């Protein structure tokens, strides 16, 4: 097995949680480099976590031993650095969402194709066994004719505080960008391309470009109505739930965004419980993502994380913002 060597741009917490920590349990993958705008931050990160290469962004991009660059950066700069990465001969994994909007997302996909490199989006949850099972059940017909879909991805109100980059319009923040993109991706995976009918946003007083909460109404193929809530102002427990009502049975899935936090899947028909499952302990969606990238880069097979597909998700996100009276990021 050839070794996939990874360099990171961005020394924030997500780089450690989503890349360095899970890589240590994945055969054939090694994180070897960290780059930051301030090289001193990268050096401190590398020393603490035992990475051999540290410096600025160019130090990572110019290293010929690095195969893939992970962008742990705000989405507003993804296009700039993803293009630089593929032009430097690297594959690239963008932390979700792929980019700030559909236009710049397309730029990433086009640049990767032109450079004969691969570009991916970090929808890690798609690789977890719980999500694979959820999609399997949704496609199985056990629900009968699907009548409605409801997704509520609400972060508890005390998590996203002033100063958080998710509340910065200059950095393409907002609730739909942060958690709504998962909902759009999941709808597209299960049913195909949705049509955005309407949306209402509650805005952040300190930066009215930012949606603290957006409720969107969509129509799925076959005319199925879907409602999506994306929120930074959820209750004390928050929500990562999908509910689907069918003619024969109803489904509820929890912890959809981060399945390793105890995802559950329950299907009921009246008082009868048809499916009642919980995610197995120990499986990590970020580790599954690394295994997946290692394998598709080795054999050249298509990926559900490919940038070409993720462009469509960003175009739906753009449409939700427009429907809410906001400019796409």
């Amino acid at each position: 097995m050839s070794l996939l060597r990874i360099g990171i741009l961005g020394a924030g917490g997500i780089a450690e949680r989503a890349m360095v920590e899970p890589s240590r349990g994945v055969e054939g993958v090694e994180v070897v480099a960290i780059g930051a705008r301030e090289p001193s931050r990268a050096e401190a990160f590398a020393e603490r976590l035992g990475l051999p290469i540290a410096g600025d962004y160019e130090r990572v991009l110019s290293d010929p031993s690095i195969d893939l660059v992970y962008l742990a950066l705000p989405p507003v700069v993804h296009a700039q650095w993803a293009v630089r990465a593929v032009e430097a001969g690297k594959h690239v994994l963008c932390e979700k969402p792929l980019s700030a909007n559909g236009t710049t997302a397309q730029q990433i996909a086009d640049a990767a194709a032109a450079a004969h490199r691969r570009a991916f989006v970090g929808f890690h949850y798609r690789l977890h066994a719980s999500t694979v099972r959820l999609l399997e059940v949704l496609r199985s017909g056990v629900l009968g004719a699907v009548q409605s879909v409801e997704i509520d991805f609400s972060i508890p109100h005390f998590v996203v505080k002033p100063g958080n980059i998710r509340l910065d319009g200059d950095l393409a923040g907002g609730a739909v960008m942060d958690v709504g993109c998962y909902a759009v991706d999941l709808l597209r995976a299960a049913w195909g391309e949705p049509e955005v009918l309407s949306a209402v946003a509650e805005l952040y007083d300190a930066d009215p470009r930012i949606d603290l909460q957006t409720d969107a109404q969509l129509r799925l193929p076959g005319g199925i109505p879907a409602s999506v809530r994306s929120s930074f102002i959820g209750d004390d427990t928050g929500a990562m739930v999908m509910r689907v009502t069918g003619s024969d049975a109803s489904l509820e899935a929890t912890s959809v965004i981060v399945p390793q936090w105890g995802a559950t899947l329950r299907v009921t028909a009246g008082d009868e419980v048809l499916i009642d499952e919980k995610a197995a302990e120990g499986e990590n969606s970020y580790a599954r993502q690394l295994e997946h990238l290692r394998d598709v880069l080795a054999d050249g097979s298509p990926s559900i994380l490919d940038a070409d597909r993720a462009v469509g998700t960003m175009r739906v996100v753009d449409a939700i913002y427009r429907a809410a009276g906001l400019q796409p990021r």
Side-chain angles (χ1 to χ4, degrees), residues 163-185:
N164 190 294
I165 64 170
R166 290 176 282 191
L167 297 178
D168 190 335
D170 290 336
L171 298 179
V176 176
M177 288 290 288
D178 189 59
V179 289
C181 63
Y182 284 106
V184 172
D185 179 76

Side-chain angles (χ1 to χ4, degrees), residues 251-284:
L251 173 149
E252 180 176 276
T254 67
S255 200
V256 176
I257 296 176
V258 190
Q260 54 261 33
W261 290 359
T264 64
L265 176 62
R266 186 176 175 86
V267 176
T268 57
D271 294 332
E272 183 180 3
V273 178
L274 305 180
I275 297 172
D276 191 1
E277 300 173 357
K278 186 172 183 178
E281 293 184 6
E283 182 177 4
N284 183 286

